Amino acid sequence: MADDGAGAASDQAREQPGDAAQYLDPVLLDEPTTADLRAKVREAWQEFARALGDALPRLPAGARVELTLDPTASGTGDAIYSVSVQIGDDGRITALAVGNAALPPGFRMDRAAVADLVALGWSPPGVVEGSGEDFGLSTTTAQAGRLAATIARTLRDVYGAPHPAFLVYLVHDADDEPIEAEPIGAARPEAVRNGDLDAALEAARSAQRDAEAIPLDERVRTVVATMMKSNPEQLQVDSDGDVSIRAGSAMVFVRVRDNPPLVDVFSPVLTEVEPTERLYVRLSELTNRMPIGRLYCTEDTVWASVPVFGRNFQASHLMLAIQVMTGLADELDDRLHGEFGGKRFFGEGDKPAQRDPGEHRTGMYL
């Protein structure tokens, strides 16, 4: 349950219409139980909501935005957790959130999750005109910021997306033709769901010609953007200067260090774990077996880190580090979770259908 300050802030936000920014901090606030990681994730969701709130009023009438938790990363298979937003005439917006009728058994929402949707402002299926079997919400472009914050909370707190990088989006016009749109935070365009690393590597090499004259951070952003099939200027960089990307089912951060020149590729393997002597010994043993990189614990988060030399920087080395990090996260999170408990960044237990009705979901101030 939220404290009085957070509740008052949320009440104040509900009373004040306007642009997207005023809703973000009170609505998307997390308790800092894993301070550094939570701050990064919270900031990413705030940026996602801000970008979505800014983008919606700019779209033409008839345009549609589809936001989906990528099942290839979440392991949800045929379960498609999604929200769609339709821009109507006269500044009207209709949003639809998938309901249980469209979800396969085993992935349907329990009563607590359905109650969360209603508490967030969604009307039950069939209430909003044209909603059919989906939950519906009708508003105006003037309230795009409020709607964006609601959508962010729905995707995060109800559908279980751990980070906006696990979302893919598609923007269509009234004729169902794709529309060029500004990036929506760390979410990825539909076409980027599975990038061709070989093609990305070749493109990165081409872009890196005469790269020694280019600062290291620019070269790193070029490689990451090429992997994401995006532009370096469109990458989301948090307040620590880290680029956050989703690689497979892992959340990966890329940080450039100046002295010595180094690129650190790191990922949260386990959160909310109790740091004990036994845990530190185990991490030391696992690190000694790794050909490169290390495992370490700060506060209550276990991190994996693989360094890439900044001097004579090679794009292929950074791509390999990201691939290695994905493998490490997939292999180690289950093993360490079984030994020490805690919470995997995106584990099976985090799926909406598997949630304990009594479990507190961080950020659920309802």
Side-chain angles (χ1 to χ4, degrees):
M1 182 175 179
D3 58 36
D4 294 340
S10 297
D11 292 340
Q12 182 180 12
R14 284 193 292 269
E15 293 170 0
Q16 297 177 358
D19 62 88
Q22 65 179 315
Y23 299 106
L24 301 181
D25 289 343
V27 175
L28 297 175
L29 187 64
D30 278 325
E31 295 175 353
T33 52
T34 56
D36 291 343
L37 180 58
R38 289 294 175 86
K40 287 181 178 296
V41 174
R42 181 178 67 246
E43 182 179 328
W45 279 112
Q46 290 174 338
E47 179 55 34
F48 168 81
R50 184 180 299 110
L52 180 61
D54 290 342
L56 292 178
R58 300 173 184 172
L59 294 174
R64 186 175 75 256
V65 180
E66 298 177 1
L67 295 150
T68 303
L69 173 58
D70 188 350
T72 64
S74 60
T76 54
D78 295 331
I80 306 298
Y81 296 101
S82 63
V83 174
S84 64
V85 184
Q86 182 84 36
I87 308 300
D89 297 325
D90 302 323
R92 299 297 303 177
I93 302 180
T94 300
L96 302 177
V98 69
N100 279 337
L103 296 172
F107 291 93
R108 290 172 183 163
M109 295 173 284
D110 57 21
R111 291 183 179 180
V114 171
D116 290 344
L117 282 175
V118 174
L120 283 170
W122 297 96
S123 297
V127 174
V128 173
E129 183 178 357
S131 61
E133 297 176 334
D134 294 330
F135 289 81
L137 198 161
S138 181
T139 185
T140 66
T141 52
Q143 300 296 316
R146 185 194 301 267
L147 175 62
T150 297
I151 291 173
R153 291 191 64 186
T154 299
L155 291 164
R156 184 191 69 178
D157 298 331
V158 181
Y159 293 157
H163 190 283
F166 285 76
L167 303 175
V168 291
Y169 67 91
L170 198 58
V171 184
H172 284 284
D173 63 15
D175 297 322
D176 211 29
E177 294 295 328
I179 296 177
E180 289 290 336
E182 292 295 318
I184 304 179
R188 303 197 293 177
E190 178 78 12
V192 185
R193 181 180 293 187
N194 289 307
D196 183 337
L197 289 183
D198 291 335
L201 177 57
E202 182 57 35
R205 285 170 175 164
S206 297
Q208 294 280 327
R209 291 192 182 108
D210 301 322
E212 290 304 319
I214 303 174
L216 177 60
D217 59 344
E218 293 185 22
R219 283 181 277 162
V220 169
R221 287 197 297 269
T222 298
V223 174
V224 174
T226 303
M227 293 181 69
M228 302 287 292
K229 294 186 179 179
S230 179
N231 295 322
E233 296 77 15
Q234 295 176 334
L235 291 178
Q236 297 300 315
V237 181
D238 64 25
S239 58
D240 294 323
D242 301 338
V243 178
S244 57
I245 60 175
R246 196 264 294 165
S249 61
M251 190 68 240
V252 177
F253 300 97
V254 180
R255 175 179 297 176
V256 178
R257 303 182 186 274
D258 295 326
N259 190 20
L262 188 72
V263 183
D264 192 12
V265 180
F266 57 104
S267 176
V269 175
L270 202 63
T271 65
E272 300 180 28
V273 63
E274 181 181 357
T276 63
E277 182 179 355
R278 189 168 70 91
L279 173 63
Y280 286 119
V281 170
R282 184 69 170 127
L283 295 181
S284 178
E285 292 174 351
L286 291 171
T287 297
N288 289 336
R289 298 177 191 174
M290 294 167 57
I292 188 172
R294 65 189 179 112
L295 293 165
Y296 58 96
C297 181
T298 58
E299 296 185 356
D300 59 357
T301 302
V302 174
W303 298 84
S305 171
V306 174
V308 176
F309 289 116
R311 197 178 301 278
N312 298 321
F313 174 76
Q314 299 293 319
S316 58
H317 294 176
L318 177 55
M319 288 180 158
L320 178 61
I322 293 174
Q323 289 178 294
V324 168
M325 190 59 63
T326 303
L328 278 175
D330 288 342
E331 178 183 355
L332 294 177
D333 60 355
D334 290 336
R335 183 188 305 182
L336 291 174
H337 180 265
E339 293 183 32
F340 300 99
K343 183 178 179 182
R344 291 159 293 185
F345 192 81
F346 200 137
E348 292 292 319
D350 295 331
K351 293 177 184 175
Q354 319 236 336
R355 187 179 62 178
D356 183 342
E359 177 188 354
H360 172 69
R361 296 279 293 177
T362 301
M364 286 297 293
Y365 296 145
L366 300 177

